[in-house]
Amino acid sequence: MKVSRRTFLSIGSFIVGGAAGTALSPLPWKLTDDLSIWTQNWPWTPKPERGDVSYVNSVCTLCPGGCGLSVRKVNDRAVKIEGMKGHPVNDGGICILGLSGLQLLYGPTRVKTPLKRVGERGQGKFKKISWDEALAEAAEKLGALRAEGKSHTVACISGSAGGTVPQLLKRLLTAYGSPNFMSVPTMQDAYAVTLKQMHGIDACPGFDVENADFVLSFGSGIIEGWGSPVRMFKANSAWQDKKIKVVQIESNKSNTAAKAAKWIPARPGSEGVLALGIAHVMLRDGLYKKEACDGAAGFEDFKKWVADNYAPENIAAATGIQKETVESLAKEFAAAASPIALCGRGQGRTPGSQYEFMAVHALNMLAGNINKAGGVQIIPEPKYIAWTEPELDEIAQKGTASPRIDGAGSETYPHAKSLLNRLPQAILTAEGASPVQALLISEANPCYTLSDTQAVKKAFAKIPFVVSFSSYMDESAQNADIILPNHACLERLEDVPTFAGLSKPVIGLSKPVIKPQFDTKHTGDAVIALAKALGDKIAAAFPWESYEACLKETLGDKWEILNEKCFVAAEENIEAPLQFFTQECKTVSAEGDEKQYPFVLMPYDSIRLANGFIGNTPFLTKTVPDTVLKKNEMLVAVNPKSACGDSLSLKEGRSVMLTTPKGSAKVRVHLSEEIMPGVIAVPRGLGHTAYDKYLAGKGVNCNELIGPAEDAGSGLDAVWGIRAKLSNVSI
Amino acid sequence: MSTSVDQKKEVSTEVGDGAGGFAILFFLLGLVASLIVGWVAFPKLLYSQKNQPIDFNHELHIGLVDEGCESCHFFREDGTYSGVPKLEQCIGCHEEVQGQSKDEAVFVEQYVKPGREVPWFIYAKQPECVFFSHVAHVKAGGMDCVTCHGHIGESSSLKVYEENRITGYSRDIWGKNISGIKTNTYDRMKMDDCSECHVKKGVNQSSVQTGKGACFVCHK
Ligand code: SF4
C-alpha cells in the first residue's frame, strides 16, 4: 500500500502530539520512579525482615584496632555494624572492613562443624565429625605424644599473645609440657624489643598523636591501616584541620605520602640510617632536649657514635636524600613543641628492622617526648590476667625446660618472646623427624601470611598433626588434620586488650551480638575441654567450668562495667629511664643478585585489602581499584622510567612474568609515577587460595614471592622487599 | 511558460493547505489523547483500590480515650513505636460488640474472638530500604503527628487504600496529586520530603560525597 504524504504527515503529527502530551503529563516521571522502586523489590534482592529492632554493643576483632561497635539487629539477625559513639578508640567511626563484617559472619566461608581431614593435606577434603569425636581425637594424639616424652614437640601459633584465649592456649602448652607458644609477630614485637633495650622494661608504646604538632613518619601507613586504623584516620583528619605538618619518609607515594605536607622518598631499607642522620644534626647543633638526655645511660657514647658515622653528607649515598633535606628536617622536628616520630612499615603487620625502630625511637628520646603530651607513652603490659601458675608434673617440667624451637629467649635472641618467622626453617632444616609433631593454630593463618609461603607449606607438610581453631576455611585450616571451629566475631564473648599504639590503651569486651549459627565452639571452651580430657595436673590447671566462668573470674570487678560499656582503661604509662645505644645501624638489604634481578619488589598495604588472618570481604574487594585488581588479575605498579632491558617494554596493562629468588607469578603492569624507578610495588592481601569463591583466585599472594629476612638484632622478620625481574610471558 | 508556473503554484498551495491542517488536527488529537491518558487514565490504572478489612472511626475513638493519639499509638519502654495498634490494645473495650455498626460486629467476631490480628493496610509504610524511627522524630525532633500523617485523627472513616501496582506501596507516599505537587507537609512522603525537613533542621549534614544529609541517616 502506498502511504500518501497526507497520511504520513497525519500519523507523524499524531505521534509528535502524543509525545508532547505525554511529556506534559506526569506519566513518564512517575513511571520512571515506580520502575526504579520496582527493581528494589525483586524477589532476589535481600532485605531485612521486619521485626523488633535492637542495638547490641560489642568490640570488633577483625583487626588489632579494637574499635567499639554498635550492631543493629532485626529480631535475631544482625543487619548493620556501626561504630560505637563515645568509644575511646573510634568514637562512632568505623572502617570498611568492620562495616562489612556481616559478610564474614553470614558468608559461605564459615566452618560449620568440626571437621576431620579425609583427603591429602591441603586438598581440602574433610568429613564432618562430632565435637566429642574431634576433641577425643585431638586429646588422644596429644596424650600419646606426651606419653612418648615428646611434649616439647607440640607448638601453638596464636594470632596474638594478649587476652584470655591466647593465654589459655599458652597455659595448656605449659601444663602439658611445651615452651613453644608463638604469636604472630607485628611491629608491636619490634617495639617491645626496642623499649626493652632503650628503657630496660617490658612495655608497649602508645603514641599520643592527637596532641602532637609535628609528625615524622618513617614509612608508617597512617591512613593505610597502621596502628588502630579508625583512630589514625581521625587523627590524620584532625592534623589536616589544625594544619599540623606530617612528613612521610617512604620510597613510594602511598596515600599517606600523598596527603602528607612533605614526602621524602628515601631508599627503601635506609630509614634507620636517615633517622640517625637527623639525630646527628640535632646533636651537633644542640637541638635536643638536654634536660631529658644529658646524663642518660649511654648518651655520650651515642652522641660520639652518631657524630662519627651519620653526618648528613655521609649518608646521602645510602639514603638517596640530600644533605640539605636532612638538615632542614632535623631543624623542623626539633623546633616543634611536641614532635613525634613513628615507624612500622605500612600497616605494621610485619615487625621490621630492629635498628630502624631503635633509631626512630632515639629521635623521640632526643625530642624529649617520652611520656609527654603529644609524645611516646611507655605503657606496661596488661596485668588483669593474674592466674596462679599451673602446677607442673614431671613431664611438663622437663618439656617446658627444653629450648624453644624458634630460638626466642635464647642467647642469640634474648629479647624476643616468639619468633614465628624462624619456625618453618627450623622444621625444614631439622634432621630426621620434624621438631614439631603437633601444631595448634588459633586466629592465625601462617600458610598465607608468613613470608615464603611455599617453604611454610613444605614445613607444615612435615608436621604429623595440625589442629586449626579457625572459624573460616582459610589456607591454614585447609592444611589441618582437624578443625575445631571457633564462634565467629560477633558470636563470641572475648576480652580484647587493645594497645595498637593507643596513648590510652583499653581492655575491650567483645560481646556476642547473635547466637552462634552453627555447630561451633568457643576456642576457650575447646581448650578447657582438651585440658580436661588430658587429665591430671593439666586438667587441674583449668579449674573453670566454662570459658565464660574463666573470663568472669579473670576480669573480676571489671566484669560488670565491661558488660555495660564494653571497655575499661588499661594501664597508665610508667616512668621509663633512657638508655642510648651504639650498635651499628645495619640496613636490611633485599635478597637476590642485583644483576640477575634489576628491580626491587616491595609489598604495599592498603586499607582496602585485609591481609592478615581475616581476609577481604566481598564488599571490601569491590572497593579495590582496577589499577590493582582487574577481574582476577593483579596489577603491579612500576614507574614508566624504570629501565628493564631491551627485550621488554613496559606498557599499561601488559602481562608480564614477575620473578624473584623465591618464585614467579604472572601479573599485569600498571604504570605509575608514584613508584620509585626500579621498584615493583605489589599489593598485600590478594592471592588467596582458600576461603570462598569471593576471595580465592584473585591475584597473587606477595608472601609467595618474598622470603623472610631475619633481623640481626631481634631475630624477627625484617623483610621489606626482595630483588625481582620482569620478563615476557611465554605463550 | 507563465501557465506552467501558475499550475505548479496551484498544485503546491492545494497540497500545502490540506496537509498542514491535518497535521495540526492530528497533532492536537495526539496531544489531547496523551494528556488524558497521562493525567486521567494512567493514575486510574496505576493504583488498585483496596478497602481496609474493617472501617475505623478515629474521631469517635479520640473522644473516648484519655491520652489522645498516644492512647493507642504509643512508645514502648525501649523506645520502639507501636505504629499500628495490635489487638491487645483493642481488647480492653472490644471483648464484646459495642454499638450497632456492622464493622464492629465483624471486628469482634472475626478478629477479637479468634485472636487474629487485623491485616490493616498501612498508608504510611515506607519502602524496605528506609530506616525510620518515630522516637527520633517525635521525642527528639519534637514533631507532631499531623506534620506527616495529616488530619487522620479527625476522620470518621478510613479512606480507600490505593496500592501502586508496580511498586506495591501506598499511594500516600507519592501523594494523591499525580503530578507530585504538594500544598501541605503531609501530602506526600518521598525521599525529597524527608530530606527537605532534614536539611532545614540540620540533621547530620555530613555526607562527604553529596554535601547533603548523610545517606546512612535513613538507609542503614
Ligand atoms: S579498624 Fe579494625 S577494629 Fe576497627 S572496625 Fe576496622 S577492622 Fe574493626
Side-chain angles (χ1 to χ4, degrees):
Chain A
M1 194 187 81
K2 197 168 166 257
V3 179
S4 74
R5 184 174 140 85
R6 179 178 293 179
T7 324
F8 178 76
L9 270 181
S10 310
I11 295 173
S13 309
F14 187 79
I15 293 172
V16 173
T22 307
L24 290 172
S25 81
L27 187 140
W29 328 114
K30 175 78 173 119
L31 215 51
T32 312
D33 187 76
D34 283 352
L35 287 176
S36 71
I37 298 174
W38 172 67
T39 62
Q40 295 166 6
N41 289 341
W42 284 339
W44 56 86
T45 311
K47 44 188 156 179
E49 54 184 301
R50 298 224 159 208
D52 289 344
V53 174
S54 59
Y55 283 86
V56 182
N57 286 344
S58 191
V59 169
C60 181
T61 53
L62 300 181
C63 92
C67 296
L69 302 178
S70 172
V71 184
R72 193 161 81 90
K73 284 175 70 180
V74 174
N75 296 336
D76 289 330
R77 195 177 170 93
V79 295
K80 171 88 193 287
I81 302 180
E82 294 172 4
M84 191 200 297
K85 292 217 174 70
H87 193 281
V89 174
N90 57 325
D91 188 19
I94 193 160
C95 79
I96 32 178
L97 175 62
L99 183 77
S100 56
L102 293 180
Q103 293 187 323
L104 290 169
L105 185 63
Y106 294 118
T109 185
R110 296 283 306 273
V111 180
K112 299 185 174 121
T113 63
L115 296 176
K116 182 182 156 83
R117 175 171 67 84
V118 287
E120 289 296 311
R121 268 276 178 82
Q123 239 184 357
K125 281 197 188 144
F126 292 92
K127 73 166 188 207
K128 289 183 190 170
I129 49 173
S130 72
W131 272 101
D132 288 343
E133 286 170 299
L135 288 167
E137 183 158 347
E140 192 197 306
K141 284 261 161 52
L142 295 179
L145 280 172
R146 196 167 194 271
E148 290 168 35
K150 292 188 187 156
S151 71
H152 60 285
T153 63
V154 175
C156 173
I157 300 175
S158 163
S160 81
T164 46
V165 174
Q167 287 303 314
L168 282 175
L169 281 159
K170 191 174 178 187
R171 191 177 176 85
L172 177 70
L173 250 61
T174 310
Y176 172 85
S178 168
N180 293 309
F181 175 83
M182 281 164 252
S183 60
V184 176
T186 67
M187 69 170 187
Q188 291 287 337
D189 296 65
Y191 259 117
V193 179
T194 304
L195 299 188
K196 181 86 186 165
Q197 295 203 30
M198 297 179 78
H199 299 286
I201 46 179
D202 286 317
C204 316
F207 304 97
D208 189 9
V209 293
E210 285 80 6
N211 294 308
D213 67 352
F214 184 91
V215 182
L216 181 58
S217 151
F218 289 83
S220 301
I222 291 167
I223 52 170
E224 257 74 44
W226 183 90
S228 181
V230 175
R231 177 237 185 179
M232 291 310 295
F233 264 86
K234 289 194 169 212
N236 190 60
S237 308
W239 295 333
Q240 310 278 339
D241 292 347
K242 291 194 272 182
K243 306 261 176 310
I244 284 170
K245 195 163 177 182
V246 179
V247 177
Q248 180 74 358
I249 297 164
E250 191 174 10
S251 59
N252 297 332
K253 194 173 179 189
S254 61
N255 283 344
T256 307
K259 291 264 192 268
K262 198 166 188 182
W263 166 44
I264 299 180
R267 288 236 165 87
S270 73
E271 291 84 349
V273 177
L274 182 56
L276 291 176
I278 297 170
H280 176 98
V281 179
M282 289 172 80
L283 290 164
R284 184 194 67 198
D285 298 355
L287 300 173
Y288 63 97
K289 285 272 172 336
K290 299 186 184 61
E291 62 278 16
C293 303
D294 284 344
F299 180 60
E300 291 308 322
D301 292 344
F302 175 75
K303 206 169 161 183
K304 182 166 181 308
W305 173 62
V306 171
D308 291 348
N309 297 295
Y310 293 95
E313 53 276 16
N314 296 345
I315 60 163
T319 59
I321 303 300
Q322 293 307 313
K323 173 177 179 273
E324 297 71 33
T325 313
V326 180
E327 299 267 350
S328 70
L329 200 53
K331 283 173 191 153
E332 262 187 293
F333 182 73
S338 333
I340 193 166
L342 309 173
C343 70
R345 200 179 289 272
Q347 296 185 342
R349 302 280 187 262
T350 41
S353 152
Q354 193 53 43
Y355 293 137
E356 179 181 321
F357 276 70
M358 291 175 63
V360 173
H361 193 63
L363 286 183
N364 286 315
M365 304 210 306
L366 291 178
N369 75 11
I370 307 300
N371 280 335
K372 296 274 156 43
V376 180
Q377 314 302 308
I378 310 297
I379 298 151
E381 287 166 349
K383 293 189 196 71
Y384 68 97
I385 304 178
W387 302 326
T388 49
E389 287 295 320
E391 203 187 315
L392 306 186
D393 61 16
E394 210 178 305
I395 303 178
Q397 280 173 13
K398 205 166 140 235
T400 48
S402 51
R404 283 177 64 102
I405 297 166
D406 63 2
S410 66
E411 246 167 61
T412 330
Y413 311 105
H415 300 302
K417 298 233 167 85
S418 86
L419 294 169
L420 178 57
N421 48 305
R422 301 194 72 250
L423 181 71
Q425 276 312 316
I427 296 173
L428 290 174
T429 53
E431 277 172 28
S434 159
V436 180
Q437 288 292 307
L439 176 68
L440 314 178
I441 309 172
S442 163
E443 298 284 295
N445 187 8
C447 289
Y448 175 82
T449 59
L450 285 185
S451 304
D452 196 358
T453 8
Q454 292 307 333
V456 177
K457 283 189 188 153
K458 255 192 231 148
F460 271 49
K462 288 183 76 181
I463 305 173
F465 186 59
V466 178
V467 179
S468 163
F469 292 96
S470 184
S471 311
Y472 313 103
M473 188 49 95
D474 55 51
E475 284 79 3
S476 305
Q478 214 172 44
N479 276 292
D481 299 289
I482 289 217
I483 308 178
L484 306 174
N486 195 0
H487 303 323
C489 170
L490 302 186
E491 286 180 340
R492 66 173 184 253
L493 179 75
E494 196 172 347
D495 53 326
V496 189
T498 303
F499 283 71
L502 298 180
S503 49
K504 294 203 181 334
V506 291
I507 296 161
L509 185 70
S510 189
K511 286 197 294 185
V513 171
I514 59 165
K515 282 195 226 87
Q517 307 164 74
F518 308 114
D519 187 15
T520 51
K521 199 185 214 50
H522 198 297
T523 299
D525 282 317
V527 170
I528 294 175
L530 275 177
K532 299 238 148 110
L534 286 163
D536 294 336
K537 293 228 160 103
I538 307 175
F542 292 80
W544 308 283
E545 206 170 279
S546 65
Y547 170 72
E548 189 171 339
C550 162
L551 184 63
K552 213 167 155 180
E553 188 191 304
T554 309
L555 292 169
D557 52 2
K558 293 194 180 81
W559 172 254
E560 229 155 83
I561 178 128
L562 270 169
N563 260 291
E564 195 186 309
K565 284 177 40 185
C566 283
F567 65 87
V568 291
E571 317 289 328
E572 293 280 321
N573 48 7
I574 44 164
E575 215 182 303
L578 309 189
Q579 287 175 10
F580 284 87
F581 64 100
T582 51
Q583 288 103 321
E584 195 201 336
C585 188
K586 264 191 242 147
T587 52
V588 178
S589 53
E591 178 186 346
D593 172 42
E594 197 170 333
K595 283 217 187 72
Q596 198 186 348
Y597 298 104
F599 284 90
V600 171
L601 178 156
M602 286 182 71
Y604 69 90
D605 294 341
S606 156
I607 195 77
R608 299 168 197 278
L609 285 170
N611 58 39
F613 164 61
I614 295 292
N616 255 26
T617 59
F619 180 75
L620 207 53
T621 304
K622 280 203 169 179
T623 70
V624 175
D626 66 0
T627 48
V628 174
L629 182 71
K630 203 168 194 173
K631 298 248 169 70
N632 285 341
E633 283 189 288
M634 182 172 90
L635 288 96
V636 298
V638 184
N639 191 306
K641 291 198 207 83
S642 299
C644 53
D646 300 335
S647 59
L648 180 76
S649 66
L650 292 176
K651 266 202 224 109
E652 181 68 31
R654 180 169 184 172
S655 265
V656 290
M657 209 59 170
L658 170 59
T659 310
T660 72
K662 290 292 171 206
S664 58
K666 202 176 114 196
V667 295
R668 284 185 187 271
V669 168
H670 168 53
L671 295 177
S672 166
E673 299 277 355
E674 295 170 355
I675 307 301
M676 201 179 241
V679 169
I680 303 170
V682 181
R684 198 198 299 274
L686 290 170
H688 278 284
T689 51
Y691 291 94
D692 52 27
K693 62 176 182 191
Y694 300 104
L695 193 50
K698 289 186 163 58
V700 177
N701 178 7
C702 66
N703 295 320
E704 276 173 19
L705 298 171
I706 56 176
E710 190 177 304
D711 182 78
S714 63
L716 290 161
D717 191 6
V719 69
W720 52 265
I722 191 165
R723 298 217 69 95
K725 68 175 180 194
L726 295 176
S727 52
N728 287 315
V729 179
S730 48
I731 303 160
Chain B
M1 281 289 278
S2 66
T3 351
S4 66
V5 173
D6 287 348
Q7 269 173 359
K8 263 188 192 161
K9 250 189 193 167
E10 263 178 45
V11 172
S12 66
T13 12
E14 199 184 279
V15 172
D17 275 349
F22 265 103
I24 292 169
L25 177 68
F26 274 93
F27 177 82
L28 287 175
L29 272 178
L31 185 75
V32 172
S34 58
L35 285 174
I36 294 173
V37 168
W39 287 94
V40 185
F42 169 63
K44 285 230 158 56
L45 285 172
L46 182 62
Y47 295 105
S48 65
Q49 315 260 321
K50 291 184 172 168
N51 284 318
Q52 293 282 6
I54 45 170
D55 197 16
F56 182 85
N57 188 335
H58 273 98
E59 193 190 18
L60 178 75
H61 283 81
I62 210 109
L64 295 171
V65 293
D66 300 332
E67 289 170 40
C69 310
E70 290 244 339
S71 310
C72 303
H73 309 285
F74 56 85
F75 289 97
R76 300 190 195 94
E77 245 167 43
D78 63 354
T80 57
Y81 188 64
S82 142
V84 180
K86 295 260 158 73
L87 264 191
E88 220 181 298
Q89 273 112 60
C90 314
I91 258 167
C93 305
H94 290 269
E95 221 155 6
E96 296 301 326
V97 178
Q98 313 270 316
Q100 305 296 314
S101 105
K102 204 175 99 237
D103 284 286
E104 168 71 10
V106 173
F107 176 53
V108 175
E109 291 307 321
Q110 292 189 8
Y111 298 101
V112 179
K113 292 215 167 134
R116 196 156 72 90
E117 293 291 347
V118 185
W120 300 107
F121 294 112
I122 306 169
Y123 302 111
K125 183 167 162 178
Q126 285 286 334
E128 299 288 350
C129 56
V130 182
F131 172 81
F132 180 85
S133 158
H134 272 98
V135 77
H137 290 82
V138 180
K139 292 271 156 102
M143 291 170 73
D144 57 13
C145 313
V146 176
T147 311
C148 301
H149 295 289
H151 297 279
I152 188 125
E154 294 155 29
S155 66
S156 59
S157 77
L158 295 176
K159 63 181 177 185
V160 172
Y161 176 84
E162 292 183 77
E163 186 180 278
N164 187 316
R165 288 184 209 268
I166 300 174
T167 66
Y169 295 117
S170 158
R171 182 171 187 167
D172 289 29
I173 304 299
W174 175 270
K176 187 77 184 167
N177 188 330
I178 195 71
S179 64
I181 295 168
K182 64 171 176 182
T183 38
N184 302 305
T185 50
Y186 47 79
D187 284 346
R188 38 176 274 154
M189 217 39 78
K190 293 280 290 175
M191 189 167 85
D192 284 349
D193 304 285
C194 301
S195 63
E196 185 184 308
C197 192
H198 280 189
V199 169
K200 246 191 252 161
K201 304 234 164 169
V203 177
N204 212 357
Q205 304 297 303
S206 59
S207 169
V208 188
Q209 285 77 22
T210 61
K212 291 185 185 168
C215 312
F216 284 159
V217 173
C218 310
H219 301 290
K220 302 259 180 197

